Amino acid sequence: MTMRKVLKLKNQMSELERVNAFVEEIGQELGLNFELQMNLNLVMEEMVVNVISYAYPEGSEAEIELLAESDGKQLKFVLSDRGKEFDPTLGGNTDMDVNPAERDLGGMGIFIVKNIMNEVSYQRLEGKNLLTMKKNIK
């Protein structure tokens, strides 16, 4: 069973509700368990918030795209934006012994993502940031 869905977002925090609904819809279609769905939701929310917060100059309007594809064995998300170049995969080896208040802001997000997803990769292609996140579901 193959599935492909695309969600186009504005770079505004109010769009997170749509991200949640998108992940939920995918979860239902693929019959994912509740825990996995919650985790995927957390991952997408963290990464979309990153893009909204850092990719574009404050006050500018831009589009973010979230693509989801699955072949039934693996679920792949690709988050793309035309914001400034940022590779979130370079962070995220967060030192868990450090007091949370002293940790880098945003470092937790990618740490969570790397923990939940099986594979996370980043490329900059034709002026776009592409963050690919894969999760084995079977």
Side-chain angles (χ1 to χ4, degrees), residues 2 7 9 14 34 82 92 100 116 125 127:
T2 57
L7 177 66
L9 302 160
S14 57
F34 183 70
R82 293 190 173 278
I116 292 172
L125 219 58

Side-chain angles (χ1 to χ4, degrees), residues 23-81:
V23 173
E24 206 167 292
E25 193 183 308
I26 290 163
Q28 285 171 347
E29 203 167 302
L30 296 174
L32 304 180
N33 68 40
F34 183 70
E35 188 188 356
L36 178 54
Q37 216 166 299
M38 293 303 292
N39 283 339
L40 290 173
N41 211 359
L42 181 67
V43 165
M44 295 314 133
E45 209 168 89
E46 282 286 344
M47 292 299 98
V48 170
V49 165
N50 258 358
V51 173
I52 292 170
S53 306
Y54 307 116
Y56 298 102
E58 210 170 316
S60 69
E61 273 208 12
E63 193 179 73
I64 301 165
E65 189 180 285
L66 183 58
L67 162 73
E69 285 181 322
S70 178
D71 57 4
K73 295 186 184 75
Q74 190 181 58
L75 177 55
K76 176 173 94 173
F77 287 95
V78 181
L79 183 63
S80 63
D81 66 83

Side-chain angles (χ1 to χ4, degrees), residues 45-137:
E45 209 168 89
E46 282 286 344
M47 292 299 98
V48 170
V49 165
N50 258 358
V51 173
I52 292 170
S53 306
Y54 307 116
Y56 298 102
E58 210 170 316
S60 69
E61 273 208 12
E63 193 179 73
I64 301 165
E65 189 180 285
L66 183 58
L67 162 73
E69 285 181 322
S70 178
D71 57 4
K73 295 186 184 75
Q74 190 181 58
L75 177 55
K76 176 173 94 173
F77 287 95
V78 181
L79 183 63
S80 63
D81 66 83
R82 293 190 173 278
K84 64 179 184 213
E85 187 165 347
F86 175 66
D87 181 352
T89 64
L90 297 176
N93 302 321
T94 304
D95 184 353
M96 290 318 238
D97 301 331
V98 176
N99 172 333
E102 293 166 18
R103 275 193 213 120
D104 289 349
L105 257 179
M108 275 316 285
I110 191 66
F111 179 81
I112 291 167
V113 174
K114 284 179 173 174
N115 260 355
I116 292 172
M117 305 305 276
N118 295 97
E119 203 183 307
V120 183
S121 60
Y122 167 86
Q123 13 170 208
R124 178 83 179 179
L125 219 58
E126 292 164 10
K128 284 169 102 172
N129 293 309
L130 298 172
L131 182 68
T132 304
M133 298 159 280
K134 297 178 181 176
K135 180 70 181 173
N136 300 334
I137 54 173

